[in-house]
Amino acid sequence: MSHFPVMERYREILFSHRIPALAPEDESVQRASLDEESFSSFKRVVSARHLTKIRRRNTYGILVVNETKHGDPNYIGANTFAEIAVAFNARKKIYLLKDIPDTYADELVAWNVVPLSGKLDALIADFVELVEPRQYQLLDLFQ
C-alpha cells in the first residue's frame, strides 16, 4: 500500500481509456488508528472482500503496481503474491506494471503474467480488443 499515489495515477490513466478499475481499500488510516488486534481483524475483512472481487465474473484481470520497495526492484510482497495466485486460479489476466521479479519468476512466467515495463499500452490493447468493456473491470493491486 506504500505506492497508493502511483496507483491513483495509473487508475486515472485506465479510466481515461474507458477501463473501469478498482483498488483495495487504503489501510493507512486504520493502521494508524487501530490497535494491532483490531487492525488484524480489519485487514482480514478487507482482504477477503478484495479476493472475492478478483474472483468475480466481471473482473477481467489485475494490474500489480510493483514499484521498487526496500531497495528491491519490481517488488511483490506476500499479500500481493497471494492475490496474484487467486487471480491465476480464477483464470484472470495478470499484468505487472514493471518487470517480473527474480523472487517469483518461475511461478509468474508459468502463470503467463504480462510484464508491462512501466507502459500500459499492452494492457489497454488487450482490454479493448478482447472484452466488452461495459461488462468487465480491472482490479489494481499495489504494494
Side-chain angles (χ1 to χ4, degrees):
M1 299 296 285
S2 61
H3 297 296
F4 193 79
V6 175
M7 174 51 37
E8 289 295 308
R9 186 174 74 234
Y10 281 100
R11 187 168 26 176
E12 289 301 317
I13 293 169
L14 293 170
F15 282 151
S16 74
H17 289 277
R18 298 180 181 219
I19 299 175
L22 303 174
E25 291 181 40
D26 183 3
E27 303 168 354
S28 59
V29 172
Q30 287 76 14
R31 183 176 289 281
S33 64
L34 298 175
D35 61 56
E36 187 175 329
E37 184 178 331
S38 298
F39 180 73
S40 290
S41 177
F42 165 79
K43 184 146 177 97
R44 272 191 300 281
V45 169
V46 170
S47 294
R49 188 170 31 221
H50 191 66
L51 293 173
T52 298
K53 289 177 185 177
I54 292 171
R55 298 188 64 78
R56 284 184 186 159
R57 175 181 285 163
N58 70 330
T59 297
Y60 167 72
I62 63 171
L63 169 62
V64 177
V65 176
N66 59 327
E67 295 282 335
T68 298
K69 185 173 180 181
H70 307 302
D72 294 330
N74 311 310
Y75 178 82
I76 294 175
N79 193 57
T80 300
F81 186 76
E83 292 169 335
I84 292 169
V86 168
F88 166 73
N89 181 259
R91 299 173 193 218
K92 305 301 179 179
K93 192 79 172 181
I94 303 165
Y95 298 92
L96 300 179
L97 180 61
K98 300 295 181 170
D99 293 313
I100 295 176
D102 293 338
T103 310
Y104 303 115
D106 290 345
E107 291 81 8
L108 298 177
V109 169
W111 296 349
N112 293 319
V113 170
V114 178
L116 298 173
S117 301
K119 299 177 183 159
L120 297 179
D121 300 343
L123 182 158
I124 293 165
D126 286 352
F127 190 86
V128 170
E129 181 179 316
L130 299 176
V131 303
E132 175 67 29
R134 292 182 302 264
Q135 296 177 359
Y136 290 93
Q137 64 191 8
L138 184 77
L139 292 179
D140 305 313
L141 305 176
F142 49 95
Q143 299 299 315

